[in-house]
């Protein structure tokens, strides 16, 4: 499965508007049917503009809820916060800084815009200047094939490709692949309700998705239509009319075609067309608005999703960082922890790992709710295991050669390691590992029972 990575920044008030939705979230949803998706809340990125603690907290919370509500089903989606990945995003940013020429960043739009607008070069925030490097790190850590974004972010993906190439060349190792931006033309830039500039939280020209109905209605009613049309009976223009631009995405095809015809003939008023847009938006987003209310009322569900996402993303990002540290020479004979290079004899991690390293291994009590022999394999048993998470996980164990059958596992509780990077086994991903111990007397691994313990409880 190809991989995508993308982020949204909790800037402005943290809300997701229809511009973000069409330019990004809708693509995430579609791509998640056939791609392994890493989607994150870019909270470090927000620091360039949000420097009020309470505001940042609120923005992050809002964005998490909005994005999760819009995504709905999270199959194939790893959803996490950038700042939850143990600083790996900023570590890679620091490393990449050293293979990047100043000129590359000076050509970045965000920096150039700032200079043109109101700020002297000496006053530009360094965070804003190195923003593209943080984005490069966000992306490269997960080695994606595609980065779905709106057109405003295209240059950042190009900088990422440039930096990845420079890193590989400098260290003569192909650690990073060069991801492609994924920008469908029809949603590359969604204009705001002013009909002039990109829809943007900071410009305040948005139509929101989760606000009070009255607010959304007001935003729709304030949307730019055709300034040359004074009366409903005047023939109106559809091209450049934002109400019709949005209706092309949210209205029913036939009804929209009919309204366009009436509008150009002067047979329907602006108000009627806007009313239809408002109704279409409410209909499109009704399921997401319901999910939003549910998530807002159940913070524990949100935490479970974020925790699961963090574990998976951390496992993938840690692996990349190990390769990076190794490639650049940070790993050496005195390195400690799980990163110690394998001994010459091969395989072993060495004699000592630290308590901190060990505490990062997460062992969880799981209940086997389904167990079957994996078709096409003579070794694998496919377990479906409940960890009191949002969804049970599929975990394989290759123990048929020892005489184990699915019936042995079904309905029982065991300990599982749950923060491993998923491993593809035949056509599915195994998201964890069942724990077993060697036996002196029996020639097979023995599984450690967790009967009577709470499902989802972790060993500490
Ligand atoms: P942000 O938060 O400004 O926007 C999130 C996504 O929405 C797209 N977008 C739009 N697309 C079309 N029309 C619009 N009016 C519109 N407004 C926003 C953006 O292009 C973006 O895809 N720096 C990024 C977040 C980020 C990121 C990353 C993205 C951080 N690291 C790594 C991809 C990969 C940003 O501020 O997007």
């Amino acid at each position: 499965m190809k991989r995508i990575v993308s982020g949204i920044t909790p800037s402005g008030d943290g809300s997701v508007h229809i511009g973000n939705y069409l330019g990004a979230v809708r693509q995430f949803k579609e791509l998640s049917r056939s791609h392994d998706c890493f989607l994150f809340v870019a909270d470090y990125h927000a620091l360039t503009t949000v420097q009020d603690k309470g505001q940042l907290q609120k923005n992050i919370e809002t964005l998490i809820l909005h994005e999760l509500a819009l995504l709905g089903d999270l199959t194939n989606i790893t959803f996490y916060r950038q700042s939850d990945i143990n600083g790996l995003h900023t570590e890679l940013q620091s490393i990449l800084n050293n293979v990047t020429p100043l000129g590359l960043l000076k050509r970045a739009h965000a920096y150039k815009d700032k200079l043109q607008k109101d700020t002297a070069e000496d006053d530009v925030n360094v965070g804003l200047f190195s923003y593209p490097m943080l984005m490069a790190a966000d992306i490269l850590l997960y080695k994606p094939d595609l980065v779905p974004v709106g057109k405003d972010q295209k240059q950042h993906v190009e900088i990422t490709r440039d930096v990845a190439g420079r890193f590989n060349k400098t260290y003569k190792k192909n650690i990073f692949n060069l991801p492609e931006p994924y920008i469908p033309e029809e949603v590359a830039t969604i204009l705001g309700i002013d009909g002039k500039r990109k829809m943007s939280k900071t410009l305040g020209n948005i139509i929101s998705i989760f606000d009070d109905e009255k607010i959304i209605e007001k935003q729709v009613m304030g949307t730019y239509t055709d300034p040359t049309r004074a009366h409903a009976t005047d023939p109106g223009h559809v091209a450049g009319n934002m109400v019709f631009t949005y209706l092309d995405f949210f209205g029913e095809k036939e009804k929209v075609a009919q309204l366009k015809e009436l509008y150009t003939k002067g047979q329907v008023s602006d108000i009627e067309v806007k009313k239809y847009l408002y109704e279409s938006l409410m209909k499109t987003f009704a399921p997401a608005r319901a999910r939003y209310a549910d998530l807002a009322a159940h913070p524990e569900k949100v935490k479970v999703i974020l925790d699961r996402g963090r574990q998976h993303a951390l496992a993938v990002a840690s692996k990349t960082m190990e390769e990076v540290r190794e490639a650049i020479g940070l790993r050496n004979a005195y390195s400690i922890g799980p990163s110690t290079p394998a001994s010459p004899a091969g395989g072993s991690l060495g004699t000592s790992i630290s308590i901190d390293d060990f505490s990062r291994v997460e062992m969880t009590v799981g209940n086997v709710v389904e167990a079957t022999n994996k078709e096409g394999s003579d070794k694998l048993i496919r377990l479906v295991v409940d960890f009191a998470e949002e969804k049970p996980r599929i975990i394989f164990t290759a123990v048929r050669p020892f005489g184990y059958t699915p019936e042995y596992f079904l309905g029982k509780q065991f300990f599982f390691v749950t923060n491993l990077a998923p491993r593809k086994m035949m056509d599915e991903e195994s998201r964890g590992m069942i724990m077993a111990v060697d036996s002196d007397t029996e020639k097979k691994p023995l599984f450690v029972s967790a009967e009577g313990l709470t499902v989802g409880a972790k060993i500490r």
Side-chain angles (χ1 to χ4, degrees):
M1 227 195 253
K2 287 195 169 176
R3 179 173 292 172
I4 69 157
V5 169
S6 199
I8 300 185
T9 306
S11 53
D13 64 359
S15 64
V16 177
H17 50 73
I18 63 169
N20 301 129
Y21 172 74
L22 294 171
V25 183
R26 200 173 67 151
Q27 272 68 259
F28 303 163
K29 267 173 91 117
E30 279 167 17
L31 289 167
S32 74
R33 295 204 193 104
S34 52
H35 289 71
D36 181 20
C37 300
F38 283 69
L39 303 178
F40 63 95
V41 170
D43 45 7
Y44 287 141
H45 279 276
L47 295 172
T48 59
T49 52
V50 187
Q51 297 183 336
D52 175 276
K53 178 186 167 186
Q55 180 74 45
L56 185 64
Q57 287 173 322
K58 187 143 194 331
N59 283 9
I60 295 169
E61 289 161 7
T62 302
L63 179 56
I64 288 171
L65 292 185
H66 284 189
E67 207 175 337
L68 284 178
L70 285 169
L71 290 171
D73 176 18
L74 293 179
T75 307
N76 294 336
I77 295 178
T78 301
F79 185 84
Y80 55 102
R81 276 194 312 204
Q82 188 185 30
S83 66
D84 272 345
I85 311 300
N86 290 1
L88 296 186
H89 287 237
T90 44
E91 180 182 350
L92 184 57
Q93 178 192 21
S94 285
I95 292 172
L96 294 176
N97 279 341
N98 297 286
V99 293
T100 307
L102 201 62
L104 190 62
L105 295 188
K106 281 191 169 174
R107 287 193 290 276
H109 296 315
Y111 169 69
K112 285 203 317 199
D113 287 354
K114 195 85 184 161
L115 285 187
Q116 264 169 17
K117 265 190 214 147
D118 44 6
T119 313
E121 187 166 14
D122 279 356
D123 294 335
V124 171
N125 185 322
V126 176
L128 177 80
F129 185 68
S130 70
Y131 191 102
M133 299 312 295
L134 182 54
M135 246 180 97
D138 298 336
I139 295 170
L140 296 176
L141 270 179
Y142 302 93
K143 303 190 177 183
D145 302 284
L146 291 179
V147 184
V149 282
K151 201 169 166 189
D152 58 336
Q153 300 296 326
K154 184 168 181 234
Q155 191 195 29
H156 291 149
V157 183
E158 283 159 359
I159 293 176
T160 301
R161 289 168 58 86
D162 192 329
V163 170
R166 282 168 194 269
F167 181 95
N168 289 345
K169 200 161 158 228
T170 305
Y171 293 104
K172 298 184 186 60
K173 208 163 180 197
N174 274 338
I175 303 269
F176 299 122
N177 48 330
L178 275 46
E180 298 281 346
Y182 175 84
I183 310 175
E185 195 43 51
E186 70 282 8
V187 292
T189 306
I190 302 294
L191 292 183
I193 59 171
D194 54 6
K196 293 192 183 74
R197 295 166 304 173
K198 185 190 81 160
M199 183 176 286
S200 138
K201 290 168 265 198
T202 28
L203 294 173
N205 58 356
I206 65 165
I207 292 185
S208 40
I209 298 175
F210 296 98
D211 269 325
D212 201 69
E213 294 176 9
K214 284 273 162 278
I215 295 180
I216 297 177
E217 193 173 6
K218 200 166 159 214
Q219 291 166 338
V220 171
M221 290 304 159
T223 298
Y224 177 89
T225 52
D226 174 2
T228 64
R229 192 181 194 229
H231 309 284
T233 48
D234 295 343
H237 295 95
V238 164
N241 183 324
M242 293 315 297
V243 176
F244 282 107
T245 305
Y246 303 147
L247 272 179
D248 280 338
F249 294 111
F250 298 109
E252 277 171 27
K253 253 199 172 92
E254 276 172 26
K255 171 92 179 169
V256 174
Q258 196 188 10
L259 282 176
K260 281 182 180 172
E261 204 188 320
L262 292 174
Y263 196 84
T264 43
K265 288 183 183 158
Q267 292 173 359
V268 64
S269 68
D270 274 25
I271 300 274
E272 277 171 86
V273 187
K274 285 177 172 173
K275 261 197 173 146
Y276 180 58
L277 173 60
Y278 170 72
E279 284 162 18
S280 306
L281 287 169
M282 282 300 149
K283 192 169 163 205
T284 306
F285 293 115
R289 286 171 67 92
R291 279 194 294 268
Y292 171 79
D294 177 58
L295 289 168
H298 296 98
E300 71 285 356
K301 285 191 191 173
V302 180
K303 282 190 185 172
V304 166
I305 294 171
L306 285 170
D307 189 33
R308 203 176 82 195
R310 185 189 78 87
Q311 285 175 34
H312 186 201
L314 183 59
V316 175
S318 302
K319 187 162 174 285
T320 305
M321 278 317 295
E322 274 317 301
E323 291 169 19
V324 169
R325 293 181 194 128
E326 169 69 25
I328 68 181
L330 287 177
R331 286 279 155 247
N332 55 47
Y334 300 119
S335 291
I336 46 171
S339 321
T340 310
S343 68
S348 158
L349 279 176
T351 46
S352 62
I353 61 169
S354 71
I355 289 176
D356 288 342
D357 294 331
F358 185 71
S359 68
R360 281 203 282 273
V361 180
E362 191 180 86
M363 283 171 258
T364 314
V365 175
N367 185 293
V368 179
V369 291
E370 254 179 71
T372 44
N373 284 329
K374 177 71 181 171
E375 220 174 285
S377 160
D378 52 4
K379 296 196 183 78
L380 293 178
I381 295 181
R382 178 184 186 274
L383 306 177
V384 178
V385 188
D386 176 21
F387 291 105
E389 295 172 332
E390 205 198 6
K391 272 189 189 167
R393 300 186 187 203
I394 296 167
I395 292 179
F396 287 99
T397 177
V399 290
R400 275 157 68 193
F402 297 104
Y404 280 106
T405 62
E407 292 69 37
Y408 171 81
F409 296 96
L410 190 62
K412 292 190 193 145
Q413 292 189 185
F414 299 97
F415 291 105
F416 294 82
V417 181
T418 44
N419 61 340
L420 298 172
R423 173 179 291 183
K424 193 95 191 259
M425 296 202 154
M426 307 191 58
D427 52 342
E428 286 183 292
E429 273 194 343
S430 188
R431 300 182 60 120
M433 190 181 86
I434 187 164
M435 306 254 302
V437 290
D438 292 331
S439 158
D440 283 346
T441 50
E442 297 194 56
K443 283 202 166 48
K444 61 179 184 184
L446 299 180
F447 294 96
V448 187
S449 170
E451 279 325 317
L453 300 176
T454 309
V455 172
K458 295 191 182 5
I459 289 196
R460 31 171 58 238

